[in-house]
Amino acid sequence: MDVVAALVDDQGTVRQWSGAAAELLDRSAEEVCGQPVTRLFADTERRGGSLPGPGATALLRHARGHGVAVRCRVLPLEGTGYRLLLAVPAARAEESEWGAALVRALLAQQRIGVVLRDTDLTVVRSNVGAGGPLPLTPGSDLTDVMEGSDAARAVAGLREVLETGTPLVNRAQHVRTLSEPAHEYSFSVTALRMTDRGGRPSGVTVLLTDATAQWRADRRLRLRHRAAVSIGHSLDVRRTAQSVADVLVPDFAEQVAVDLAERVLAGDEPTKAFGGGDPHLRRMAVRGADGWPAGLMRPGDTFPSLPDWPDARSLQAGRTVLADRAAIERLLGESPLRRLLIPDRGRCLAIAPLFARGLILGLIGAWRTDREEPFDEQDADLLTEIAAHAALSIDNARRYTREHRAAVTLQQRLLPAATTRTPAVEAVGRYLPAADGAEIGGDWFDVLPLPSLRVALAVGDVVGHGLHAAATMGRLRTAVQTLADLELPPDELLTRLDELVTRLDAETGPTEADTIGATCLVALYDPVTQQCTVASAGHPPPIVATPDGTTQPLPVRPGPPLGVGGLPFETTTVHLPPDSWLALYTDGLLSGRTEDVDAAVDRLALRIAELHGSASPLEEAGRALTAEQAAHPAADDTALLLARVRSLRPGGVAEWEFPADPATVADARAAAAGKLAEWGLAPLDFAVELIVSELVTNAVRYAGGPIGLRLIHADTVLFCEVSDPSNTQPRLRRASDNDEGGRGLFLVAQLSSRWGSRYRQSGKTIWAELEAPA
């Protein structure tokens, strides 16, 4: 409804009457014109002829008799006696006054930006002047004051408000200004659609609140959280350093480099430094928002010597240093270091020491190149916090590197040579630690040459990882070597080893009660008989591939793991033709398989069959069998021992059996001499005849018959064996001048390179080894 208007002459008579007045009071112009104006008022004080004063409230009489409250104003018309009476409904007048007061109040204050825009979103009125962070003067557009993508996002939001009427409440708006230098702000934006009296859109009112401080605080909080989540997941110092650089770019700085002390890379504590000079640092990680600039130090480069400067002492004391480009240039002067250390667009630098336990493990250097805002104390505190977290992670990685290096060294010293060749077997061993070297375990393998050309093959797996597992492995491997030298059969060897593990377990403290335990498998191969005897203590079965193309796991009945005690171990004996493959392994070679253990063993047997059928060299076959573990390390370490068995040359063994008769001694000597002549070993006649004579004589005298004599010749070694039914082991002693006996074994020991005895199922065998000419 429009303003009510009436033209009144100097006599107080209404001369003209507006349509709005007729609508408001339901009185036509014909009815009102010519009548005294005072008759229009319902309040009695107007009947005296006076009209309301400026801004006064009065009651106009409606045609139906009730009063209509209006706000009146009387305007005299110059040069005439007429007056113009204007009136609007009192409620509308009050609404307009409150609206005007609200607009004046908003435009007058400074903490909230108010921008009135028309339907084209052009600024009509604004209290955001030219001196503010976002100068929105009348007639300006958003693209005039902020970067294009930010302006497009803001315009899209305002356009939606204008079209739908749905208000925009507390929307975060990131702003990068077009001013030089550019700045970044964040505003909280509330936008409301304005309408005219008819409800048609007339523009948008925008309220802006500067939320830059909160935005920066939130960004720092998110950066802290990301650093806590991302840094420290690896026990590799290089990966940890790279994660630090990745976290800081681009939210904190555009270019970040992490330099570490050279000794830290080897797991040692860094050297202490004071002032300038050689910092003993090596660049480990870099990250740039737009790539790493050419010419700057790159990963792997050694940090050059630096001049002494006060801030160096601050860094060495563990404090973060802030500097602008000019200060760094003054420090370096015209030195070539400027090209290595200062980016072309670098504006300001923040350096935080990686400080842990009073040691400087390295430095974090962060350059801002695109943002004009220099680093402030809040940035310094944030970088110090992130550096402290990173320093603890790097120190943990350093300590792990030291322990890992010690464990690797220990295990390498404990394991045998990777390749072993004896007259009985050719063997290749492979060991792969768990998790790409992150976990050294207790898996081991061993090839043990025994007398009479026999060889023992062993593989084992100790519970746990780390130094204690490697140390336990070393003790068990030493025990296996000692027990094998006693020429015990595999089942008895495991029985003795089980007793040792039980004793070791009893010696450990309560906190290490679950760290002693192992599985083991021992195979004894005799090239003379081509028999292989196997016993297992909770270990996966060995796999045999024979020249006829048959490949299968041996049907070994496994005993309990070592340390259980009280249960027997059983042996399995099979015939292995020459050029057969025997594969002994730990369960790490089966880990990572989706199928069960039996299916995994069958799959491994199939792979061994393929390699054996293609006549692959043992070393290549070993690498092929462990290729999956090498490429994708499993949670457990892996040991593999792959052996190709050999046989003696035809005619390399001679055997005789004699009764327990003194005349047998001469027959045994003659038989041995004849065989030596046949083999072309005549230079050994004297020594062999004397050894045979002494050993057969002792057997006749103390053991009884039958007496067995066996000569084994292979390459450059000759074995002489005498067997008898007695279980009494011979003992070497020193005879006095008056003793009639006791010199036989002494002569045997002097004439041979080594000698010994072993039990058989019935009786014993005494053997002597001699070096034979090729």
Side-chain angles (χ1 to χ4, degrees), residues 335-637:
S335 168
L337 295 180
R338 294 179 63 170
R339 293 189 298 274
L340 291 175
L341 302 179
I342 304 178
D344 292 338
R345 295 183 295 141
R347 298 178 183 270
C348 54
L349 171 66
I351 310 176
L354 295 167
F355 193 72
R357 299 183 300 105
L359 301 173
I360 303 296
L361 305 178
L363 299 174
I364 302 175
W367 280 96
R368 282 185 176 170
T369 59
D370 298 333
R371 280 176 284 184
E372 181 65 22
E373 296 91 344
F375 291 110
D376 56 22
E377 290 302 320
Q378 290 182 325
D379 293 322
D381 293 342
L382 174 61
L383 187 59
T384 300
E385 182 180 335
I386 293 176
H389 174 69
L392 291 177
S393 299
I394 290 175
D395 193 44
N396 289 337
R398 178 195 66 80
R399 293 186 178 192
Y400 172 78
T401 299
R402 181 179 60 187
E403 179 179 345
H404 179 262
R405 182 184 60 187
V408 169
T409 302
L410 176 62
Q411 189 157 45
Q412 288 176 344
R413 295 293 180 89
L414 293 175
L415 288 175
T419 303
T420 304
R421 289 182 174 85
T422 71
V425 299
E426 174 190 2
V428 170
R430 294 273 294 168
Y431 174 79
L432 296 176
D436 198 16
E439 288 289 352
I440 291 296
D443 289 13
W444 92 92
F445 59 86
D446 215 340
V447 180
L448 306 170
L450 299 177
S452 304
L453 301 181
R454 298 175 306 145
V455 64
L457 307 173
V459 65
D461 185 357
V462 174
V463 172
H465 297 90
L467 283 174
H468 76 275
T472 302
M473 177 270 286
R475 299 174 75 174
L476 294 184
R477 178 171 177 254
T478 301
V480 170
Q481 290 175 338
T482 302
L483 295 172
D485 284 342
L486 294 176
E487 301 191 68
L488 300 176
D491 54 341
E492 187 173 347
L493 187 152
L494 290 179
T495 300
R496 301 286 183 88
L497 198 62
D498 179 66
E499 295 172 355
L500 171 63
V501 173
T502 301
R503 187 165 62 251
L504 293 178
D505 185 50
E507 294 174 356
T508 58
T511 60
E512 300 177 351
D514 296 331
T515 61
I516 300 299
T519 64
C520 184
L521 185 139
V522 178
L524 180 63
Y525 176 69
D526 188 343
V528 176
T529 62
Q530 299 179 4
Q531 298 291 317
C532 182
T533 303
V534 181
S536 171
H539 207 81
I543 296 174
V544 172
T546 57
D548 62 2
T550 302
T551 302
Q552 62 183 0
L554 285 184
V556 178
R557 180 175 295 179
L562 299 175
V564 174
L567 295 174
F569 299 98
E570 299 183 25
T571 60
T572 299
T573 301
V574 295
H575 177 261
L576 292 184
D579 291 328
S580 296
W581 283 11
L582 181 64
L584 284 67
Y585 53 90
T586 60
D587 56 4
L589 193 62
L590 307 177
S591 63
R593 312 281 189 182
T594 57
E595 60 267 48
D596 58 21
V597 174
D598 292 338
V601 171
D602 292 339
R603 183 176 176 183
L604 178 62
L606 182 62
R607 180 64 175 140
I608 292 175
E610 294 175 356
L611 295 170
H612 184 263
S614 63
S616 298
L618 282 185
E619 292 187 5
E620 293 183 7
R623 284 193 294 269
L625 292 173
T626 56
E628 182 177 347
Q629 278 69 22
H632 306 286
D636 196 7
D637 47 346

Side-chain angles (χ1 to χ4, degrees), residues 73-368:
R73 188 172 185 181
V74 180
L75 300 177
L77 301 179
E78 295 294 335
T80 69
Y82 291 93
R83 289 170 293 174
L84 181 62
L85 174 63
L86 301 176
V88 294
R92 180 173 296 174
E94 185 176 0
E95 178 184 346
S96 299
E97 290 174 358
W98 279 107
L102 177 61
V103 171
R104 286 194 302 271
L106 290 174
L107 293 175
Q109 57 79 49
Q110 297 179 349
R111 299 193 63 179
I112 300 178
V114 180
V115 182
L116 303 182
R117 299 178 178 275
D118 58 17
T119 54
D120 294 330
L121 299 182
T122 302
V123 177
V124 178
R125 294 189 65 183
S126 171
N127 68 343
V128 184
L134 202 62
L136 294 173
T137 56
S140 64
D141 189 74
L142 288 177
T143 55
D144 299 331
V145 295
M146 68 174 70
E147 194 269 341
S149 60
D150 297 337
R153 179 170 176 263
V155 168
L158 297 180
R159 182 67 63 187
E160 183 178 355
V161 171
L162 187 63
E163 294 174 354
T164 66
T166 303
L168 198 65
V169 181
N170 292 334
R171 176 177 176 176
Q173 175 67 50
H174 182 68
V175 174
R176 288 164 289 182
T177 67
L178 297 178
S179 59
E180 188 61 37
H183 293 276
E184 286 185 285
Y185 297 99
S186 181
F187 292 95
S188 177
V189 178
T190 297
L192 307 170
R193 184 172 72 176
M194 297 185 295
T195 58
D196 59 15
R197 298 292 183 186
R200 294 179 295 273
S202 60
V204 179
T205 298
V206 182
L207 304 179
L208 302 174
T209 303
D210 190 350
T212 304
Q214 295 88 333
W215 169 66
R216 290 177 177 170
D218 182 65
R219 186 169 64 175
R220 293 188 180 102
L221 181 62
R222 284 187 279 108
L223 185 57
R224 284 188 178 93
H225 175 72
R226 191 162 66 252
V229 171
S230 303
I231 299 174
H233 281 193
S234 173
L235 287 175
D236 182 86
V237 292
R238 293 169 175 82
R239 294 179 183 175
T240 303
Q242 187 62 55
S243 66
V244 174
D246 294 342
V247 162
L248 293 175
V249 176
D251 287 347
F252 186 81
E254 285 74 38
Q255 293 180 11
V256 173
V258 180
D259 308 300
L260 297 181
E262 293 177 333
R263 289 174 58 85
V264 169
L265 304 178
D268 300 323
E269 292 190 348
T271 55
K272 294 184 178 181
F274 299 95
D278 186 357
H280 304 287
L281 297 176
R282 187 178 296 274
R283 180 143 294 180
M284 280 296 103
V286 297
R287 181 67 181 270
D290 299 318
W292 192 248
L296 294 183
M297 288 181 57
R298 308 189 71 83
D301 292 348
T302 301
F303 218 93
S305 296
L306 297 174
D308 193 4
W309 54 307
D311 286 338
R313 308 297 176 92
S314 299
L315 289 172
Q316 291 160 357
R319 295 189 292 272
T320 298
V321 171
L322 305 180
D324 57 15
R325 183 188 183 97
I328 302 299
E329 288 179 341
R330 286 194 301 271
L331 171 68
L332 300 179
E334 297 301 324
S335 168
L337 295 180
R338 294 179 63 170
R339 293 189 298 274
L340 291 175
L341 302 179
I342 304 178
D344 292 338
R345 295 183 295 141
R347 298 178 183 270
C348 54
L349 171 66
I351 310 176
L354 295 167
F355 193 72
R357 299 183 300 105
L359 301 173
I360 303 296
L361 305 178
L363 299 174
I364 302 175
W367 280 96
R368 282 185 176 170

